[in-house]
Amino acid sequence: MRAVDIITKKRDGDELSKEEIEFFIKGYTRGEIPDYQASAWTMAIFFQGMTARETTDLTLAIVDSGETLDLSQVVKVAVDKHSTGGVGDKTTLVVEPLVSACGLPVGKMSGRGLGFSGGTLDKMESIPGYRCDLTTSEFLSQLHEIGLVLTGQTADLAPADGKLYALRDVTATVQSIPLIASSVMSKIIAAGAQAIVLDVKIGLGAFMRKETDAHILATRMVEIAHLAGRKAMALLSDMNQPLGHAVGNALEVKEAIETLQGGGPADFRKHCLEVAIQLLILGGHTEDEETAQQMVFSAIAEGRGWSRFRELVAAQGGDVSFIDHPEKLPTAPLIETIPAPRSGYLSQIHAQIVGETVVELGGGRAKKEDAIDHAVGVVVHHKVGNHVESGAPLFTIHANSTASLEAARIRLLEAHQWSADPVNPLPLFYGSVR
Ligand code: URA
């Protein structure tokens, strides 16, 4: 078999066999197939798509590129949640400690920023010392000891996803149903959780702009989970505007801390609550939504979610003084609040433009090996539907140079659209797939 023939076959729209997919993934993981051929292959998949059978085979090939954890050795049941990627989506940082504080262990393997969307690992690495490269035995013993793990792909777990993910980020091959489904599901299956809540984002700042595509993606992922013997459901959630207010790594960690401590933006709080409720129900911790909600409320009110987050940071080598005193987290040298240029109702805060602006400020990558600046980002002060007076704070830019600050100011003003007439707020959720 030759990589070039597999690329040609997919480029021409033909269906790949299980063996061809396995050959490609194995070869790429071992470094025998170079990045340029993997880029061509992912681009061919991007344009030609994959059948449900090919997507499942791709997922399982990625899982087989490393080990699969058997969490039943260390906990009775472990749950996980995974988002398909969004702007300002720091849900994991809040939901996982809360669910763990409710008594359900959470073992999670997250990703880095992808295209204009932020990544949980990049956010957590704003905390000095925090390690995202736990070994398998560290993963298992931490899950057993504190019931909470938040790490990244390693040489042991789904290594092919680590390589493909970094490649897709910089080759414009993110927005593809089979590539997203296999990436998300391979990590979840390899990390061993038995019950999974998928947060499938829809809209301007999501990889699926249309509800129909998001529905197909959600259905495929839930089917793959079932084939792998896991319980799964998907929430379809809005990503037309940023989730919460903060977009940018350290800024999002600060917002997550506020939320764990009982504050935080209302939309983000409600979003986290719904995801946590679904995890508690799917994980068999309780049967009804009302009890699940009460559990989450008390985990916040009693500070147990927050303590769990502290334990997580400490267990993975992070310096907890930075989360106890979030003002110590990386801070940009230039911080400027831009006033609203007019009065009116906000009809759009284009999430993709906000996400791209943060990448351009230095908060994401243009090339695989790029370092990121954890301090930079944007805080949007309003939500679609809000009435804003001319001159009131519209957004705040955290930048590391005057040139990038000025470019961000122009783009973010374009991201905000206005109406003289009242505008309905955006829904948080559009439905679910079970
Ligand atoms: N999250 C992932 O893990 N992979 C994707 O492709 C998109 C979001």
Side-chain angles (χ1 to χ4, degrees):
M1 246 185 252
R2 293 189 320 157
V4 64
D5 298 326
I6 299 173
I7 299 168
T8 311
K9 196 168 168 188
K10 187 40 73 187
R11 183 202 64 194
D12 295 343
D14 294 329
E15 191 171 342
L16 299 178
S17 69
K18 185 173 192 291
E19 291 70 31
E20 286 164 334
I21 292 172
E22 281 173 359
F23 172 86
F24 208 100
I25 292 297
K26 265 200 194 108
Y28 184 51
T29 313
R30 290 188 191 136
E32 292 155 9
I33 294 178
D35 271 353
Y36 57 83
Q37 283 189 309
S39 309
W41 190 57
T42 49
M43 192 57 89
I45 295 172
F46 180 91
F47 281 115
Q48 296 293 357
M50 275 184 150
T51 62
R53 200 270 308 146
E54 284 177 297
T55 310
T56 304
D57 286 341
L58 177 58
T59 310
L60 299 180
I62 299 175
V63 172
D64 281 347
S65 69
E67 291 173 36
T68 304
L69 299 186
D70 176 6
L71 303 185
S72 63
Q73 303 164 28
V74 287
V75 286
K76 226 165 52 209
V77 61
V79 297
D80 190 3
K81 64 113 343 226
H82 205 100
S83 143
T84 55
V87 176
D89 184 8
K90 70 271 322 163
T91 310
T92 294
L93 276 57
V94 173
V95 165
E96 307 248 325
L98 282 176
V99 169
S100 168
C102 293
L104 207 47
V106 185
K108 175 157 179 65
M109 210 193 301
S110 275
R112 298 194 176 278
L114 199 54
F116 55 81
S117 81
T120 300
L121 302 183
D122 294 332
K123 293 170 202 183
M124 291 304 286
E125 282 177 353
S126 310
I127 305 166
Y130 189 87
R131 282 183 55 211
C132 294
D133 60 351
L134 299 192
T135 61
T136 304
S137 68
E138 286 172 326
F139 188 114
L140 292 172
S141 62
Q142 186 174 317
L143 187 67
H144 179 65
E145 276 155 32
I146 67 165
L148 183 56
V149 184
L150 181 47
T151 183
Q153 302 97 338
T154 61
D156 302 331
L157 299 174
D161 179 57
K163 288 190 80 175
L164 280 171
Y165 194 91
L167 188 78
R168 286 168 56 221
D169 184 25
V170 290
T171 54
T173 48
V174 174
Q175 283 100 326
S176 149
I177 291 178
L179 293 177
I180 296 176
S182 57
S183 165
V184 169
M185 295 315 296
S186 61
K187 280 193 281 283
I188 295 180
I189 294 170
Q194 293 99 327
I196 302 145
V197 171
L198 298 159
D199 184 4
V200 179
K201 305 284 188 196
I202 306 171
L204 298 170
F207 298 129
M208 297 294 116
R209 285 205 163 181
K210 291 192 286 192
E211 205 172 323
T212 43
D213 289 339
H215 206 274
I216 296 172
L217 174 63
T219 308
R220 249 185 216 183
M221 292 197 294
V222 170
E223 281 168 6
I224 294 172
H226 290 163
L227 276 172
R230 316 295 165 93
K231 287 204 243 170
M233 65 88 65
L235 291 165
L236 304 176
S237 67
D238 183 74
M239 191 30 79
N240 283 295
Q241 62 184 340
L243 186 58
H245 295 310
V247 186
N249 299 296
L251 292 170
E252 292 190 46
V253 172
K254 287 182 196 164
E255 194 163 88
I257 292 172
E258 282 162 27
T259 309
L260 279 167
Q261 294 178 339
D267 66 320
F268 179 55
R269 266 200 324 266
K270 282 192 202 141
H271 180 87
C272 290
L273 179 64
E274 183 59 30
V275 178
I277 287 173
Q278 296 306 327
L279 275 165
L280 289 169
I281 293 175
L282 202 69
H285 209 55
T286 176
E287 274 172 15
D288 66 288
E289 298 211 353
E290 215 171 296
T291 317
Q293 180 167 320
Q294 275 319 316
M295 285 177 169
V296 179
F297 281 157
S298 29
I300 297 176
E302 293 161 15
R304 286 183 285 111
W306 163 239
S307 327
R308 237 347 117 84
F309 185 68
R310 286 186 87 248
E311 280 176 70
L312 168 74
V313 169
Q316 290 188 215
D319 182 340
V320 284
S321 74
F322 281 75
I323 55 167
D324 285 343
H325 303 282
E327 67 284 358
K328 282 177 71 177
L329 286 167
T331 304
L334 303 173
I335 300 176
E336 193 171 319
T337 297
I338 310 300
R342 55 168 281 180
S343 296
Y345 294 91
L346 279 170
S347 58
Q348 187 174 92
I349 306 171
H350 198 301
Q352 178 171 347
I353 300 181
V354 177
E356 283 169 357
T357 306
V358 173
V359 172
E360 282 155 18
L361 282 166
R365 295 175 187 79
K367 293 195 296 312
K368 248 170 61 161
E369 50 288 345
D370 282 353
I372 58 169
D373 184 341
H374 291 100
V376 298
V378 172
V379 178
V380 293
H381 295 295
H382 301 281
K383 294 273 122 187
V384 166
N386 283 8
H387 185 269
V388 184
E389 290 295 333
S390 173
L394 189 60
F395 52 84
T396 301
I397 303 171
H398 297 241
N400 55 25
S401 75
T402 40
S404 65
L405 190 141
E406 183 50 21
R409 190 182 67 81
I410 294 167
R411 287 215 78 195
L412 291 169
L413 282 170
E414 280 164 19
H416 287 74
Q417 302 280 314
W418 300 85
S419 162
D421 301 319
V423 173
N424 286 331
L426 288 167
L428 278 180
F429 295 96
Y430 295 97
S432 61
V433 171
R434 284 171 195 275

